[in-house]
Amino acid sequence: MNRFDVIVIGGGIIGASTACALARGNADLSRPALRVALVEALAPGHKRGSSHGDGRIMRFTYPEREYLELVRSSIPAWRQIEHQGDVRLIERTGNWECGRPGSAIMAQLDATLSAAGVPFERLTAAESRRRFPQIQVEEDTEVLYEPSGTILRADLALRTLWRLGRESGVEHFTHRRVERLEVTDESVRVQGDGLNLVAGSLVVTAGSWSRGLLMDLGLDLPLTAHREALAYFPPRADSGHSHRFDHMPVLIDYDDQDIFFALPQIDIPGVKVGRHRSGPLTDPDLDPPADPLLIQRLVEYVTRRFPSLHPRPSQTLTCLYTNTPDFHFVLDRHPELPQVTIGTGFSGHGFKFGPVLGEALAQLATHRSCPMDLSAFGIRRFSGPALRPRLGA
Ligand SMILES: Cc1cc2nc3c(=O)[nH]c(=O)nc-3n(C[C@H](O)[C@H](O)[C@H](O)COP(=O)(O)OP(=O)(O)OC[C@H]3O[C@@H](n4cnc5c(N)ncnc54)[C@H](O)[C@@H]3O)c2cc1C
């Protein structure tokens, strides 16, 4: 039997960030370094959950001020990890967003960026075509450009957090699936796959598997797992434009009912394209290939928006969203078991906040006050009045 101060279940970006924060203690040492176990059912960096892939978008252009401010605190946190890990994780690309003329979301983005003092530009279709020839826009499209938009090197970021965790004393248990949880006033016990670990407290950051695990503790959170389809589209031989991250911005496209996103080329050849929240409900334990119908929607989109890309994908993949009914996160303690802390439901937009959410979960798990306002992320909201899904990506 192994004894720890805290056990973290799930080694994706949120679990790895939390384990690292707990093992290091915080800057002013008001929270000491602790003995931490990180349990991961598969291999670190596996491709079956939500945190894999060469890149993730990090931008200020959010309709909600609270997320914009969370990005503002996430950038220095990532810079610190770059410094501690001696790696480069953030690539400046600029962020290009568009919507239909007069659309509420574009007005909301404009208002939030202006109120927060984040520099951005409104571009005419002609200006956009001149500066970003890779992207085709209709004459009446509303375009907003945020120069501070970036890409995070996702796989490298996750590897780095695992390494920094190990260097700070986190004990890693990989290829071990937690199957049983036992919580008493004195301790929590975690078992499964030959594991038998005990600790003072537990953090559940198991992504799309969190709902199943928490049922064991009498808590049924309204989380749904969705399998998103993505594809990489290589440039046409005669495209004449670079589609690499140092020549093309990230893109969010509010296209009628759909929200498409695209990341310029980083390590994998081609532009990565996806359609936000379009994936069907799924069982996270299955591993089917990307749905051809979803890929076909991406092909149709690329043909219209990126004529200099080859419409046949060079690679397709899937990735899981863990959605809440309002697409806001769950960052809270178990309503009846204060020794259990929960971080899940990141609804397709949690990666960029990894280190900041890890720090917040570390504060929650050690019963310390949290510098971050968590009021929008509490579990009790699910039993309150009907929730309004958030606007935007
Ligand atoms: C296609 C796509 C595009 C995205 N784009 C962006 C973006 O541009 N910007 C952004 O900020 N976010 C983006 N996101 C969202 C972001 O990637 C996720 O919010 C984030 O990765 C969630 O991390 P996680 O640690 O909660 O989940 P996961 O990475 O899934 O980690 C959960 C881990 O728990 C493990 N686990 C589960 N059950 C058990 C068990 N019983 N025992 C042990 N281990 C267990 C799993 O194996 C898994 O490794 C995107 C997500 C997808 C899918």
Side-chain angles (χ1 to χ4, degrees):
M1 175 162 65
N2 270 323
R3 272 186 185 283
F4 295 88
D5 297 310
V6 190
I7 299 168
V8 178
I9 302 179
I13 198 65
I14 307 296
S17 300
T18 308
C20 212
L22 285 162
R24 286 171 160 252
N26 58 6
D28 64 8
L29 289 184
S30 60
R31 187 188 69 237
L34 295 171
R35 192 152 183 252
V36 181
L38 176 59
V39 185
E40 168 50 53
L42 303 166
H46 66 86
K47 301 191 181 325
R48 300 276 304 277
S50 306
S51 298
H52 58 281
D54 57 351
R56 291 288 188 276
I57 297 173
M58 178 163 66
R59 81 240 195 248
F60 283 104
T61 313
Y62 261 92
E64 304 94 341
R65 184 67 184 269
E66 72 249 23
Y67 285 115
L68 182 152
E69 294 307 336
L70 216 45
V71 172
R72 216 193 287 272
S73 39
S74 295
I75 294 170
W78 281 115
R79 290 290 182 211
Q80 205 182 18
I81 290 169
E82 285 185 319
H83 177 70
Q84 289 157 355
D86 191 23
V87 287
R88 183 190 170 105
L89 298 176
I90 302 177
E91 299 293 356
R92 182 91 170 238
T93 57
N95 172 39
W96 186 99
E97 306 218 359
C98 78
R100 295 290 180 204
S103 69
I105 184 68
M106 294 304 285
Q108 183 56 50
L109 295 173
D110 198 310
T112 306
L113 288 169
S114 305
V118 174
F120 71 100
E121 301 165 66
R122 282 294 198 138
L123 304 178
T124 63
E127 283 166 338
S128 175
R129 278 194 287 271
R130 186 173 50 72
R131 288 169 60 177
F132 309 110
Q134 305 94 334
I135 307 172
Q136 174 154 283
V137 262
E138 299 79 23
E139 215 37 57
D140 60 354
T141 303
E142 287 201 32
V143 176
L144 183 159
Y145 179 67
E146 176 214 325
S148 51
T150 61
I151 276 179
L152 277 164
R153 292 179 175 273
D155 286 336
L156 180 58
L158 187 57
R159 276 202 307 279
T160 304
L161 279 159
W162 270 77
R163 174 163 59 86
L164 292 176
R166 196 175 46 249
E167 289 165 6
S168 309
V170 175
E171 222 167 302
H172 292 142
F173 296 86
T174 61
H175 304 92
R176 307 290 193 94
R177 177 174 296 282
V178 172
E179 276 141 12
R180 280 177 309 287
L181 301 173
E182 198 187 302
V183 178
T184 64
D185 292 346
E186 289 72 48
S187 67
V188 295
R189 180 192 296 272
V190 156
Q191 294 176 300
D193 267 349
L195 272 180
N196 187 6
L197 308 179
V198 169
S201 71
L202 174 70
V203 181
V204 177
T205 47
S208 291
W209 291 266
S210 301
R211 183 173 186 171
L213 261 181
L214 291 166
M215 300 271 248
D216 222 14
L217 300 176
L219 181 63
D220 185 11
L221 288 179
L223 301 168
T224 51
H226 298 257
R227 192 168 300 282
E228 304 291 324
L230 299 134
Y232 287 85
F233 295 88
R236 290 178 186 278
D238 60 355
S239 95
H241 312 301
S242 167
H243 294 76
R244 283 183 49 76
F245 67 83
D246 45 6
H247 285 82
M248 184 184 131
V250 292
L251 168 146
I252 305 267
D253 183 342
Y254 295 96
D255 185 58
D256 286 337
Q257 304 316 313
D258 292 315
I259 304 173
F260 291 94
F261 61 87
L263 287 79
Q265 183 172 322
I266 317 164
D267 303 327
I268 299 173
V271 171
K272 179 163 85 172
V273 180
R275 185 160 60 103
H276 197 48
R277 294 196 201 118
S278 61
L281 272 175
T282 190
D283 171 350
D285 283 325
L286 303 177
D287 189 18
D291 179 337
L293 292 177
L294 295 179
I295 296 297
Q296 184 50 35
R297 285 298 304 281
L298 300 180
V299 168
E300 287 154 16
Y301 174 73
V302 161
T303 308
R304 180 160 57 84
R305 190 61 82 209
F306 294 102
S308 54
L309 291 179
H310 204 292
R312 193 172 324 116
S314 53
Q315 200 184 122
T316 63
L317 68 156
T318 72
C319 182
L320 298 178
Y321 279 18
T322 312
N323 291 346
T324 57
D326 56 7
F327 306 125
H328 290 294
F329 307 155
V330 174
L331 298 164
D332 202 350
R333 290 196 203 98
H334 187 298
E336 269 115 49
L337 304 168
Q339 56 278 63
V340 177
T341 296
I342 301 161
T344 190
F346 298 105
S347 306
H349 65 117
F351 197 105
K352 62 180 83 61
F353 307 116
V356 168
L357 300 181
E359 179 57 30
L361 290 165
Q363 289 291 92
L364 278 176
T366 54
H367 297 268
R368 286 174 169 76
S369 64
C370 194
M372 185 183 138
D373 174 8
L374 298 178
S375 53
F377 310 118
I379 286 172
R380 287 188 175 75
R381 75 183 194 270
F382 298 127
S383 49
L387 296 166
R388 234 160 34 85
R390 59 178 295 267
L391 270 183

